[in-house]
Amino acid sequence: MTVRRDFKGPVSCRSELVIGQEEPSAAAREQLARGGSVLLHGPAGIGKSTVLRALAAEYAPNARTVLRCSATESESHLPFLALADLFGLVLDEVSGKLPAAQHTALESALTGRGESTLQRDGLALRLAVLSTLRALAAKGPVLIVADDLQWLDSASAELLGFAARRLGETPVQMLCAVRTEEEEYDRHLRACPPDTLSVRLGPLTRTQVSALLGHRGYAGLPRSTVRDIHRTSGGNPLFALELGRALAESPTPPRPGEPLPVPTSLRALVLSRLEMLSVEARRTLLVASAGARPTPALLHAAGRGNAEAECAQAAELGLLATEPEDPAVRFAHPLISAALYAEAPAQERRAAHAALATAAPDPIERARHLALATTGTDPEVAARLAEAAALARDRGAPSVAASLGLLAARHTPAGSGPGPDGRRLQAAEDAITAGEVDLARDLAREVLTRATVPAERVRAWMVVIESAGQALGDVDAVFPQALADAGDDPRLLALVHYQLAWRGLVVEGDFAEARQEAAHAAELAERGRDRRTELMALAFQASTETLMGHPNAPATIKRALREPQHPYVACHHNGVGSARYRWLLMSDRLAEARATITALLREVRRRGMVESEVHFLRLLAETELRSGHCGRALDLSRESLRMARDTGIGESASATLASLAEASGGSTDRALALAREAVGHAEEDGDQMYLSRALTALGHAQLVAGDDQAAVTALRRVRELELGLGITDPARGRWHGDLAEALVRTGEQAEAQRVIDVAREHALRLGRESVLAVLDRSEAQVRAARGDQHAAEAQLTSAQDRLAKLGNGLEEARAAFALARLRTLAPVLGAGRAGAAPVPGPTSYDEAARLFRRCRALPWLRRVEEAAAARPKQQPEVAPAALDGLAAMERQVAALVMEGATNREIAARLFISVKTVEATLTRVYRKLGIRSRVDIVRLAAGRRAK
């Protein structure tokens, strides 16, 4: 029998129901799966009931009986109410199993008939609850689901606790949730079994809040607004959803710098306590809520003479959080501040801002308060705001600069110089720098509806194009309009042609066209005396030439490094510093590349350049990966991906690098998922350049996962794409070795050698030493597959030594792994060949394991361990001469079949897929005129019998 399973939800919704609480939910699942009990706890609105329902729906099918209660504050004074909810429907089922005294006491408590109390029938009631649970459990597992444990009536809590402490091995589990603020949750554990796991649900991250809002239909909110919702809600999902709903329903969004509108549903949570404050204390808190970093000194300066006493009164009511060592005035929750501000009349808010406009110590804060205290346009106020925006920009706070710039535009009278649209465009450009591309695009579109000045229109078009990110195909219609607005002005034309260079690369996939457009943009910018655009165009030209393997790349980089430089271009992710880093990395100068990218990352963080930070985190991760520091690369790539997803900037590129890092130092499953995500993004955006990178990551992950045929398919597509793009430098994607090795394992040695030969020609021309060493490693495996073991071992040994000297730790370890496999399998590989001799050297995988362990290359280390475990304990006798006519791979597989190895064992030993083993055996059967692997074994037996 199952009781009250009405909380069961559809399986497909469970992951959505617990957005942001996956980790604590997983801990609870593990405890429930072990047969234990769980107590979920956290503040109001944090999602306890949601998680409780999801877990109950998941584990209810495992129980024969499910008992449920959900207490409320208004009913918490009624004795035995929770007990009635739990046992009311099962009393008849167990009544015959209870002694008469226990049954009478329990029935009286549950029905309200009679005068049963804990004082009078305490022992009988306690034993009755215990006996009832034991009787139910005798027929099958019991699950008790109790929500809002804090409102459980004391009598029910006492009886449940008594039974829970005495259940022992009885199959009864409890899944409970309790609201806790500052108080301890421990006292609520008294109603649960002794082994209960307490799981705290914490606040959501900004990314999780964004996902939650999107799931509930509020996906159209700008990222800057989502950031404000996260800050105001404190990561509380209930508060975040209510704020999102209020914003969606509001006809006018809040002005820049103003708190979010707080809906009545949330104001009610705090206004009851606010009403207990004196009028003066409330005014003091209003000033504090309007300030950015309020302190008693600031409140005094703003005219609140009794600030300390009034703040103490608020702290006693739980409105302010007090810390002895922290002088700041901090609200107990951001929502209290927002509700207080939203409830205040507009006139009182302006008065608070006016007071802070003279009291705030920081000029940026003073300007913001002055704007919020002023109504209508005012050129003096607008000028002060523009100055404050410039100061915020210099301090590395572009998001603040954008907010101040918008305020400046709103206070700027029409017809003044600079005008309101010029200031809006500056705010849009600051928003681009801060990663708030939605805001930037909306501002530019607004300017375009009325601007007539060509310079403003072209500037706005540039913001629209930049806000598209990699999806430049979506803004194709913009380019002709921007060219028309630019007319014959070389400064404006330079801006458009610089973006056309990006379009040629991303949309058309044509490096030659991109290089030509970049060179033209640099010439136009030089003519128009626009050094910033000239340097950006030269940096882009240098990057394309580097990736193309063009001989002019070093000269273009030197030209871009000439003085005068521009501070923005110097650290921009598409600037000359980035171009120089790429050239250093591809030239195997890893130490210089790391120093360069570390300095760039430090500078963009100082300036608040979010898009560049995402980019440089990714490049630093790539450098660490090349150096064999897989753990460090994994951390950096995950950080870059988190930022990319949070801002919507560079998600495809960050997912690609994260996939490579996961394949080398994390999880191959995550690597495959991330690579497929990156491929999907690139295909959706029509981005040919990043599509080839994403497919490279996919092919690599498939290779590491042992799916050689899939790796061949993905990497062949990369080859076709790069041929079309005009990329000839094999150091760009470094996929050639992976493709060659996958082809060897699928028995296509001739194509593998062609891949190596083409890549080697370009690597020799460009001096790419690490690429040449990797190609030698791959060629050694081709030679081994063809039976030339001595040459293969010599080539692998040389490749490993060269990679070690170049500091390519991971590639060095892969060479050691290939060498260990070759030495282990040497007698098998040479079986049946006239004059074949054993290859000397150790057959241990210890050296490869040591090198992979040094790199923290966990997926590769697992492959070494699998290969070591599968190596033959005893070499087979000489194979029949009939095998001499087989190809090398066919002979290897046949020889291992003679040894008695299964297809899976053969795949592990030869580092190929099971499908490849099956296909190879089919060819062996056909060539030898036999039908099955049994016939191969008979051939071996026949040879030994002679």
Side-chain angles (χ1 to χ4, degrees):
M1 175 178 180
T2 300
V3 178
R4 295 197 174 197
R5 201 175 277 176
D6 55 304
F7 46 79
K8 186 173 182 181
V11 174
S12 60
C13 297
R14 289 177 196 163
S15 62
E16 297 175 337
L17 287 171
V18 291
I19 289 173
Q21 301 292 0
E22 291 82 4
E23 189 173 334
S25 296
R29 282 192 183 91
E30 290 180 9
Q31 173 74 354
L32 291 168
R34 288 193 295 265
S37 297
V38 171
L39 175 67
L40 305 169
H41 63 97
I46 204 67
K48 302 179 299 298
S49 296
T50 300
V51 175
L52 183 85
R53 284 193 299 269
L55 291 172
E58 188 171 343
Y59 285 92
N62 300 330
R64 177 188 177 274
T65 306
V66 180
L67 308 174
R68 185 184 182 218
C69 70
S70 183
T72 63
E73 184 177 11
S74 62
E75 299 170 341
S76 60
H77 65 287
L78 299 173
F80 307 124
L81 186 62
L83 207 65
D85 285 342
L86 290 171
F87 294 149
L89 297 179
V90 297
L91 183 60
D92 290 342
E93 181 185 351
V94 299
S95 59
K97 306 290 179 61
L98 303 181
Q102 294 180 21
H103 178 268
T104 300
L106 184 59
E107 184 179 35
S108 176
L110 297 185
T111 63
R113 296 191 297 270
E115 299 180 356
S116 181
T117 65
L118 275 180
Q119 287 72 27
R120 197 186 74 177
D121 301 322
L123 181 59
L125 276 173
R126 287 176 172 81
L127 293 174
V129 171
L130 179 60
S131 299
T132 298
L133 290 174
R134 283 174 173 166
L136 291 171
K139 299 180 179 180
V142 176
L143 176 65
I144 299 174
V145 182
D147 199 2
D148 284 318
L149 211 60
Q150 74 276 4
W151 305 130
L152 209 67
D153 64 273
S154 58
S156 296
E158 168 64 24
L159 294 172
L160 274 178
F162 175 86
R165 290 189 295 273
R166 289 163 175 79
L167 286 169
E169 298 300 318
T170 306
V172 176
Q173 293 176 268
M174 292 186 69
L175 175 58
C176 307
V178 62
R179 179 191 302 178
T180 54
E181 299 293 342
E182 297 300 326
E183 72 270 16
E184 295 293 329
Y185 62 88
D186 295 15
R187 62 188 181 89
H188 299 291
L189 285 171
R190 291 198 295 268
C192 304
D195 67 341
T196 298
L197 174 70
S198 60
V199 176
R200 179 168 181 78
L201 303 187
L204 273 58
T205 66
R206 185 165 62 175
T207 302
Q208 291 164 345
V209 165
S210 178
L212 179 66
L213 290 167
H215 171 61
R216 294 299 179 89
Y218 308 129
L221 297 171
R223 283 187 169 82
S224 56
T225 302
V226 173
R227 180 194 60 205
D228 291 341
I229 290 175
H230 176 256
R231 183 178 61 244
T232 303
S233 68
N236 185 295
L238 173 64
F239 299 169
L241 287 171
E242 287 298 299
L243 290 167
R245 181 182 59 79
L247 279 167
E249 294 174 355
S250 175
T252 56
R255 296 168 65 193
E258 287 186 340
L260 297 175
V262 181
T264 306
S265 59
L266 293 185
R267 292 188 201 183
L269 294 174
V270 295
L271 290 182
S272 58
R273 283 183 283 174
L274 287 172
E275 290 171 357
M276 300 171 69
L277 288 172
S278 66
V279 173
E280 291 302 313
R282 191 160 177 165
R283 286 175 181 166
T284 295
L285 286 196
L286 176 61
V287 175
S289 71
R293 292 175 296 276
T295 62
L298 176 64
L299 295 176
H300 275 292
R304 308 309 303 166
N306 295 320
E308 285 88 349
E310 289 158 354
C311 286
Q313 181 188 357
E316 288 178 3
L317 294 172
L319 295 167
L320 294 180
T322 57
E323 294 182 15
E325 298 179 359
D326 187 359
V329 176
R330 291 194 307 107
F331 286 89
H333 192 282
L335 186 64
I336 298 173
S337 173
L340 174 65
Y341 188 92
E343 190 70 11
Q347 185 177 355
E348 290 187 17
R349 281 188 270 180
R350 284 196 296 271
H353 286 297
L356 289 166
T358 57
D362 185 80
I364 293 176
E365 275 302 295
R366 289 198 298 272
R368 184 179 74 87
H369 290 301
L370 179 62
L372 295 173
T374 305
T375 58
T377 59
D378 186 321
E380 184 179 345
V381 171
R384 284 187 58 182
L385 285 163
E387 291 171 4
L391 180 58
R393 200 176 303 121
D394 290 341
R395 288 183 181 178
S399 181
V400 175
S403 177
L404 291 168
L406 269 180
L407 285 171
R410 293 182 182 186
H411 287 284
T412 301
S416 63
D421 282 344
R423 283 176 168 153
R424 282 189 183 88
L425 287 172
Q426 180 61 66
E429 290 164 357
D430 287 329
I432 286 281
T433 302
E436 298 177 9
V437 292
D438 296 339
L439 173 61
R441 181 182 57 249
D442 292 346
L443 288 173
R445 293 285 187 189
E446 181 187 348
V447 169
L448 285 165
T449 60
R450 56 177 174 266
T452 57
V453 179
E456 286 188 348
R457 290 189 63 79
V458 171
R459 193 175 168 191
W461 288 127
M462 295 304 100
V463 171
V464 172
I465 292 170
E466 285 195 45
S467 65
Q470 298 298 122
L472 287 177
D474 293 349
V475 292
D476 252 355
V478 166
F479 290 98
Q481 299 176 71
L483 284 170
D485 286 331
D488 56 2
D489 186 329
R491 289 177 65 92
L492 300 181
L493 285 169
L495 292 170
V496 182
H497 281 279
Y498 173 71
Q499 295 295 346
L500 282 169
W502 278 104
R503 183 190 177 280
L505 183 62
V506 173
V507 178
E508 299 297 332
D510 190 333
F511 268 67
E513 179 187 339
R515 175 181 176 270
Q516 184 177 346
E517 286 285 3
H520 185 39
E523 292 170 7
L524 288 166
E526 185 179 18
R527 240 193 298 157
R529 299 180 181 278
D530 181 357
R531 183 61 173 164
R532 170 172 159 168
T533 303
E534 180 189 3
L535 288 170
M536 291 293 288
L538 286 171
F540 183 84
Q541 182 184 343
S543 295
T544 55
E545 288 174 349
T546 299
L547 296 172
M548 293 170 69
H550 197 286
N552 288 358
T556 306
I557 291 175
K558 287 181 182 178
R559 185 179 162 200
L561 286 169
R562 289 176 192 159
E563 295 295 337
Q565 287 294 308
H566 190 285
Y568 174 82
V569 179
C571 63
H572 192 272
H573 59 278
N574 290 324
V576 66
S578 182
R580 181 173 181 271
Y581 157 80
R582 178 60 62 188
W583 181 78
L584 289 169
L585 186 72
M586 293 173 68
S587 301
D588 297 312
R589 294 163 68 172
L590 294 182
E592 291 177 76
R594 182 185 290 104
T596 299
I597 201 64
T598 302
L600 288 169
L601 180 59
R602 187 184 307 115
E603 180 63 15
V604 298
R605 279 175 166 165
R606 187 186 72 80
R607 290 172 172 268
M609 298 169 68
V610 174
E611 183 174 5
S612 294
E613 183 178 355
V614 172
H615 191 82
F616 291 150
L617 278 169
R618 189 167 65 244
L619 296 185
L620 183 55
E622 184 177 357
T623 309
E624 299 297 353
L625 199 58
R626 284 280 307 281
S627 303
H629 304 151
C630 297
R632 173 75 172 144
L634 194 60
D635 291 341
L636 288 165
S637 67
R638 287 173 176 173
E639 184 181 356
S640 174
L641 184 59
R642 279 195 299 271
M643 286 190 69
R645 286 176 169 164
D646 194 30
T647 60
I649 295 172
E651 291 182 73
S652 177
S654 293
T656 295
L657 203 284
S659 171
L660 291 168
E662 290 285 355
S664 298
S667 160
T668 51
D669 287 342
R670 282 197 297 269
L672 289 165
L674 285 167
R676 292 184 180 115
E677 176 189 333
V679 169
H681 277 306
E683 289 179 332
E684 183 180 346
D685 292 343
D687 186 341
Q688 299 296 299
M689 182 175 66
Y690 272 111
L691 178 57
S692 71
R693 297 299 302 269
L695 285 167
T696 297
L698 179 59
H700 180 73
Q702 289 165 335
L703 181 79
V704 178
D707 193 347
D708 301 316
Q709 191 57 60
V712 167
T713 301
L715 296 175
R716 278 174 175 163
R717 193 176 169 196
V718 174
R719 180 174 59 185
E720 293 170 6
L721 281 168
E722 292 205 352
L723 187 62
L725 288 166
I727 298 174
T728 59
D729 192 336
R732 186 255 182 178
R734 297 178 178 268
W735 48 266
H736 310 76
D738 282 352
L739 176 55
E741 291 176 25
L743 286 167
V744 169
R745 291 170 201 162
T746 55
E748 299 172 84
Q749 289 85 8
E751 184 181 348
Q753 189 62 56
R754 286 195 298 273
V755 170
I756 293 165
D757 292 342
V758 172
R760 180 179 282 138
E761 180 183 351
H762 293 297
L764 285 168
R765 174 175 60 85
L766 297 166
R768 305 302 191 218
E769 292 298 328
S770 64
V771 173
L772 289 168
V774 168
L775 292 173
D776 280 355
R777 184 188 69 205
S778 303
E779 189 174 52
Q781 294 175 61
V782 175
R783 287 180 168 176
R786 290 173 172 171
D788 193 352
Q789 311 308 313
H790 290 283
E793 182 175 5
Q795 196 169 21
L796 276 173
T797 302
S798 171
Q800 181 180 345
D801 291 343
R802 287 149 55 204
L803 288 166
K805 290 175 183 175
L806 290 167
N808 284 225
L810 186 58
E811 300 293 359
E812 175 197 357
R814 287 182 62 180
F817 186 22
L819 189 59
R821 287 182 53 253
L822 177 67
R823 286 172 169 166
T824 301
L825 297 171
V828 173
L829 299 175
R833 292 175 60 247
V839 179
T843 60
S844 170
Y845 287 93
D846 291 348
E847 174 66 4
R850 182 186 70 80
L851 292 173
F852 280 130
R853 197 174 291 111
R854 183 184 67 183
C855 295
R856 283 190 59 192
L858 302 182
W860 285 106
L861 187 59
R862 284 191 288 270
R863 299 219 59 171
V864 173
E865 292 168 349
E866 290 169 2
R871 66 185 173 187
K873 302 297 185 295
Q874 179 180 343
Q875 300 298 340
E877 296 183 39
V878 179
L883 302 189
D884 291 348
L886 300 177
M889 178 65 73
E890 295 164 355
R891 187 168 59 252
Q892 296 168 37
V893 171
L896 289 170
V897 169
M898 290 178 177
E899 185 187 337
T902 65
N903 286 4
R904 188 171 296 279
E905 290 169 341
I906 294 169
R909 292 189 197 182
L910 298 182
F911 208 21
I912 59 178
S913 67
V914 174
K915 289 184 178 180
T916 301
V917 174
E918 293 168 349
T920 303
L921 279 174
T922 300
R923 293 196 299 273
V924 169
Y925 300 155
R926 185 175 64 252
K927 289 184 178 181
L928 297 181
I930 58 180
R931 296 183 177 181
S932 70
R933 60 190 294 126
V934 175
D935 294 330
I936 297 178
V937 175
R938 286 173 179 161
L939 279 174
R943 176 61 180 259
R944 285 194 294 268
K946 292 181 180 179

